[in-house]
Amino acid sequence: MKKNITCLCGTNISFEYEEEIDLDLKPEILKSIFNGTFMSSNCGYCGKKHKPEYKILISWKSKNLNMEVLPELDRGEFFRNKKDNPAFETIIGFPEMADRLAVINDSLEPVIIETLKYYLLEKAAENYPDNDVNVWYHCKGSNGIEFHLDGIRQGEVAVMRIPHEIYDKTSEDYKKHPKNGVFPALRVRSYLSVQNLLRPDALK
């Protein structure tokens, strides 16, 4: 698919992207998603970096994943239309796409990671009630599962590690009682995300 965007300096930028991506056939695309270069383009005149978002479909059969990625600008439309494609998991926004693919790549359960994000956001809200905090999965290490939180202090990223025991306990709770607590609220149709708990009342 070929697209054109206009830079703030007035320069027209033309680029092409694939609407359907098979990560088993093109693992280099996964690398570009993780390093932040996926679908990015620099203006040839002023040098400004652009990262536009368009709807794409991602398959990763070796990980049993079929994902529909919607642009962040389509978030409201997703909730208002109340329609989705049951054959695909929905993700909204490229940052969330990279987050989810990292979780899958590390062989973790998305619903458990999203639950842990909720716990971290609840704690952040207690300590920093006036801040707009975001939490992202970073990696799985020997010392625990690492998350990065932005919005606590301007220009800084806070690092939080959740012990593997807490992940395992949350996973056990989910398997026994998937309809209890915060678990069911994390999913809206095909979209699993802690963002479902943070959306404004107008989109509920």
Side-chain angles (χ1 to χ4, degrees):
M1 172 72 70
K2 189 172 183 178
K3 289 286 186 178
N4 293 290
I5 60 174
T6 302
C7 182
L8 292 175
C9 71
T11 301
N12 184 65
I13 304 171
S14 179
F15 68 97
E16 294 187 10
Y17 73 96
E18 297 181 59
E19 295 179 274
E20 299 186 20
I21 298 169
D22 186 331
L23 292 179
D24 288 312
L25 297 179
K26 295 188 174 182
E28 69 275 7
I29 292 182
L30 183 65
K31 183 177 179 180
S32 73
I33 291 172
F34 287 162
N35 66 26
T37 61
F38 177 70
M39 209 181 290
S40 65
S41 180
N42 293 329
C43 175
Y45 182 76
C46 71
K48 179 177 174 58
K49 186 176 183 178
H50 294 268
K51 297 188 70 173
E53 294 186 359
Y54 298 100
K55 178 182 176 180
I56 58 174
L57 300 177
I58 294 178
S59 66
W60 200 358
K61 293 182 177 62
S62 62
K63 298 288 188 177
N64 195 31
L65 177 69
N66 285 305
M67 178 189 295
E68 173 190 56
V69 184
L70 303 179
E72 182 62 43
L73 290 174
D74 287 354
R75 182 176 295 274
E77 182 180 354
F78 171 82
F79 290 111
R80 286 190 292 268
N81 285 350
K82 302 187 184 302
K83 295 179 181 178
D84 54 19
N85 187 339
F88 291 86
E89 285 284 329
T90 297
I91 287 293
I92 303 178
F94 282 12
E96 201 167 58
M97 170 188 68
D99 182 290
R100 180 59 52 82
L101 290 175
V103 170
I104 298 297
N105 191 55
D106 286 344
S107 301
L108 296 171
E109 289 292 334
V111 66
I112 308 306
I113 294 299
E114 295 302 310
T115 302
L116 297 179
K117 287 181 184 179
Y118 171 75
Y119 296 154
L120 290 173
L121 286 172
E122 284 283 283
K123 194 66 176 178
E126 291 177 12
N127 295 325
Y128 309 95
D130 298 326
N131 293 26
D132 185 14
V133 178
N134 294 303
V135 58
W136 304 96
Y137 171 78
H138 184 67
C139 65
K140 178 177 68 173
S142 58
N143 294 327
I145 298 171
E146 185 174 311
F147 294 86
H148 287 183
L149 289 77
D150 61 66
I152 292 178
R153 291 186 178 89
Q154 188 174 2
E156 296 183 10
V157 173
V159 176
M160 296 292 295
R161 291 183 180 88
I162 301 294
H164 293 293
E165 292 80 4
I166 293 181
Y167 175 92
D168 294 339
K169 176 63 167 58
T170 305
S171 179
E172 182 181 344
D173 290 344
Y174 176 71
K175 290 174 182 177
K176 290 181 178 178
H177 308 288
K179 295 184 179 181
N180 288 1
V182 72
F183 298 131
L186 289 167
R187 177 176 290 278
V188 174
R189 306 191 312 278
S190 61
Y191 181 40
L192 171 69
S193 174
V194 71
Q195 294 299 321
N196 286 322
L197 299 172
L198 306 176
R199 69 190 193 276
D201 290 339
L203 295 179
K204 293 181 179 179

